[in-house]
Amino acid sequence: MNWSANNPMLKGLYYRSFYQITLCNDFIRQSSDAKLAERGISGADAATIKRYRAEARFLRAYQYWALLDLFGRPAFVTDAEALGASLPQQATKAGLFSYIESELKAIDADLVDAKKNEYGRADKAAAWALLARIYLNAQVYTGTARNTDAATYAKRVLDAGYTLISDYTKLMRADNNVNTSEFILTINYDG
C-alpha cells in the first residue's frame, strides 16, 4: 500500500472534511443569536435552532479532529471569518487540539442529553466520546498525555448506558436504528 497526495480516497476525505466544515461554519454564522433576533426568531424556535447550532459545532469539531488525526496540521477557519474573505491559516497540532477541546466543552450544555436525540444526530455522549478520543491521543497532538481525562470521558459514555453488543454479527444490519446500546453517532444511509 503506497499512499500519496494523489490518492483519490485521501483527497476526497480531505476535501469532504473541509466541505462539511464550510457548511457548519455557514450554518453557525446564519444561526447566531444576533441573526435569530434580526429575523424575529425567539422562544421555542430559537431554542431548537440553538440545539442544531451545537450539533453543527460538534460536527465541525469532529471534522477538525479527523483532519488533525490524519493530516496533522490542516488549514483552519471558523464561522468568525466570512466565506472566502481570506485564505485560511495552517493550524498547529496543539492549537487545533485546544480548539476542538474547547468547542466540545462549550457545547455540552446545549446538546441533547445522551441517548435522547433522534437516530443519527449528535448528543452529549457523542461529544464525550470525541473528547475521550482526543485525550487518548493528546500526547501525539500536544506532547502531554491526558489519559486520566480520556478515562473520565469514556466513563461518562459508559455511565450513559452504552455497552457493546455481545453478538457482533448483529451489527450493521438494516435495524441499526434500534441499536441504542452500542452506536453513539451514526452516519445514516439507506441505499
Side-chain angles (χ1 to χ4, degrees):
M1 296 188 50
N2 201 1
W3 299 88
S4 74
N6 295 322
N7 181 284
M9 296 303 285
L10 281 178
K11 256 187 198 176
L13 173 65
Y14 189 82
Y15 291 135
R16 184 64 182 195
S17 290
F18 275 109
Y19 173 66
Q20 291 180 20
I21 288 167
T22 301
L23 292 177
C24 289
N25 282 340
D26 190 52
F27 180 82
I28 294 163
R29 187 175 24 262
Q30 294 298 325
S31 67
S32 70
D33 290 341
K35 290 279 188 181
L36 295 181
E38 186 179 295
R39 295 181 181 119
I41 299 171
S42 61
D45 289 339
T48 299
I49 292 169
K50 186 175 183 177
R51 281 195 308 274
Y52 290 160
R53 186 171 57 227
E55 288 181 53
R57 288 174 71 184
F58 167 82
L59 292 171
R60 178 178 62 187
Y62 183 90
Q63 290 303 320
Y64 272 127
W65 163 76
L67 291 167
L68 169 65
D69 199 59
L70 295 170
F71 300 101
R73 298 184 58 218
F76 178 74
V77 65
T78 68
D79 56 290
E81 297 91 25
L83 183 60
S86 63
L87 290 174
Q89 298 297 308
Q90 187 175 15
T92 65
K93 285 183 180 182
L96 192 51
F97 173 91
S98 294
Y99 174 78
I100 295 165
E101 177 187 31
S102 68
E103 277 291 279
L104 294 172
K105 287 183 172 186
I107 62 174
D108 187 71
D110 296 328
L111 287 170
V112 174
D113 288 337
K115 301 179 94 172
K116 301 293 183 198
N117 215 345
E118 60 188 275
Y119 178 67
R121 302 229 348 246
D123 61 18
K124 288 181 183 194
W128 299 335
L130 185 53
L131 278 165
R133 187 173 285 179
I134 68 166
Y135 289 141
L136 191 60
N137 292 297
Q139 188 159 4
V140 173
Y141 305 142
T142 68
T144 304
R146 302 275 300 267
N147 296 328
T148 301
D149 291 325
T152 297
Y153 280 93
K155 184 171 179 353
R156 282 189 185 183
V157 172
L158 293 173
D159 288 348
Y162 288 97
T163 60
L164 297 177
I165 292 177
S166 60
D167 185 354
Y168 183 77
T169 64
K170 293 190 175 163
L171 293 175
M172 308 308 165
R173 293 186 173 181
D175 65 351
N176 282 343
N177 62 309
V178 298
N179 175 3
T180 58
S181 67
E182 185 166 338
F183 292 141
I184 298 170
L185 181 68
T186 63
I187 299 172
N188 296 354
Y189 177 78
D190 185 355

